[in-house]
Amino acid sequence: MKISIAICDALEREQLNLVQMLQHYGKAHGLEITVDTISSGEELLSLWTPDRWDLIFLDIYMRDLSGVEIARRIRQKDRNCILVFATTSQDHGIIGHELRISDYLVKPFQQQDVDSVMDWILQDQAPRLRTLRLYVNWNEVEVRLRDITYIEIREHTALIHLNGQTISPRRSMESLEEELIGTSFFRCHRSYLVNLQHVDSLQKRDFCMDDGSLVPISSQHLAKARKLCQELFLERSLNP
């Protein structure tokens, strides 16, 4: 599993200390962890885009922008990025709940505390961080499930549609469907698996995806598709 992390802290020694502990955790758990260190809130926001990092550690007390203000600006555009306050105090419980802060890491950092935070995050966010390993032209490719819009099967080749591009490993529908059990993927047609997280609407017998594409729904799956969409849209209205 790959995890991309940003650490936003004005103190270089705090950055390096946390980097070492995260790398130690990654080696112990077989994770591929990449870490970017950033010294100010303004710099972080200039680099940040939705899905740029899976996890961001934010120091609450910084000179230019506080961690709270940075979190507030991120949450205006991204409700899913995992945010952790790294601070000398946990006296921000109400704000943390409002901004969907996943946890607090209290300074000075201790390895056992970092391990505890990472254990909790991986357990809580496992579906969002899950990947699919594929072989394309004899090269192994690891793809985030959340980046896949839909999968189409053509003559024993899977067309994996993601982020405006398509990759084509040789995989069967049956093997993919089995591997994706328990995820947000739904087999809506004999040749299609759709990621419900990317569905914008349902029109007659097609899913309208957030990239503008249409995914067909077979007659036998239409009732189930409508039910799933009702549940999906209700959840989105309750958690905008």
Side-chain angles (χ1 to χ4, degrees):
M1 181 184 290
K2 297 180 180 179
I3 303 178
S4 58
I5 299 174
I7 299 170
C8 187
D9 196 306
L11 300 177
E12 184 177 358
R13 66 176 181 275
E14 300 285 8
Q15 295 176 3
L16 296 177
N17 192 24
L18 185 51
V19 167
Q20 291 174 352
M21 293 181 183
L22 289 168
Q23 290 176 340
H24 180 273
Y25 181 90
K27 290 179 181 178
H29 293 79
L31 302 173
E32 185 178 333
I33 293 180
T34 59
V35 184
D36 293 313
T37 56
I38 300 165
S39 299
S40 73
E42 291 287 1
E43 181 184 0
L44 175 70
L45 291 174
S46 71
L47 297 171
W48 176 83
T49 56
D51 288 330
R52 170 72 184 269
W53 295 288
D54 299 310
L55 166 61
I56 302 176
F57 288 93
L58 291 171
D59 182 15
I60 289 183
Y61 303 106
M62 289 187 290
R63 297 187 190 91
D64 57 345
L65 291 173
S66 71
V68 172
E69 178 58 27
I70 297 168
R72 184 170 284 115
R73 294 191 189 185
I74 289 175
R75 283 291 178 249
Q76 290 174 354
K77 297 181 179 180
D78 188 344
R79 300 289 291 174
N80 296 315
C81 180
I82 307 165
L83 302 178
V84 173
F85 279 154
T87 180
T88 55
S89 170
Q90 294 189 43
D91 297 334
H92 298 82
I94 295 177
I95 295 176
H97 178 74
E98 171 195 340
L99 297 174
R100 298 179 64 189
I101 302 301
S102 293
D103 212 335
Y104 289 81
L105 188 60
V106 179
K107 297 179 180 183
F109 305 135
Q110 302 294 327
Q111 185 68 56
Q112 62 187 26
D113 298 325
V114 174
D115 291 351
S116 179
V117 168
M118 292 300 296
D119 284 344
W120 188 88
I121 285 172
L122 288 179
Q123 180 179 359
D124 184 65
Q125 298 289 330
R128 185 172 178 274
L129 299 174
R130 188 168 166 180
T131 60
L132 185 66
R133 291 182 182 273
L134 304 163
Y135 286 90
V136 181
N137 298 326
W138 306 103
N139 295 314
E140 185 179 69
V141 177
E142 190 170 6
V143 177
R144 288 281 173 83
L145 295 190
R146 70 172 186 261
D147 293 335
I148 301 174
T149 307
Y150 66 96
I151 300 172
E152 179 183 0
I153 302 295
R154 292 184 186 174
E155 298 180 351
H156 307 294
T157 297
L159 303 181
I160 312 288
H161 299 269
L162 68 160
N163 294 335
Q165 62 176 322
T166 302
I167 59 175
S168 306
R170 289 188 64 82
R171 287 290 298 271
S172 68
M173 172 62 79
E174 288 69 26
S175 68
L176 285 167
E177 187 177 20
E178 182 178 356
E179 189 168 349
L180 294 172
I181 288 175
T183 69
S184 58
F185 283 81
F186 167 57
R187 185 171 180 177
C188 58
H189 186 281
R190 63 190 297 268
S191 302
Y192 289 86
L193 280 162
V194 66
N195 186 350
L196 295 170
Q197 298 304 315
H198 286 281
V199 171
D200 259 354
S201 63
L202 182 64
Q203 292 185 7
K204 295 183 179 180
R205 295 181 57 172
D206 293 307
F207 284 114
C208 300
M209 311 306 291
D210 55 14
D211 65 355
S213 58
L214 298 177
V215 178
I217 307 167
S218 65
S219 298
Q220 70 182 96
H221 294 106
L222 188 56
K224 179 67 172 178
R226 287 172 176 164
K227 183 176 184 296
L228 289 172
C229 277
Q230 288 176 350
E231 295 171 352
L232 177 66
F233 299 149
L234 176 59
E235 180 182 353
R236 288 179 183 173
S237 68
L238 296 175
N239 299 284

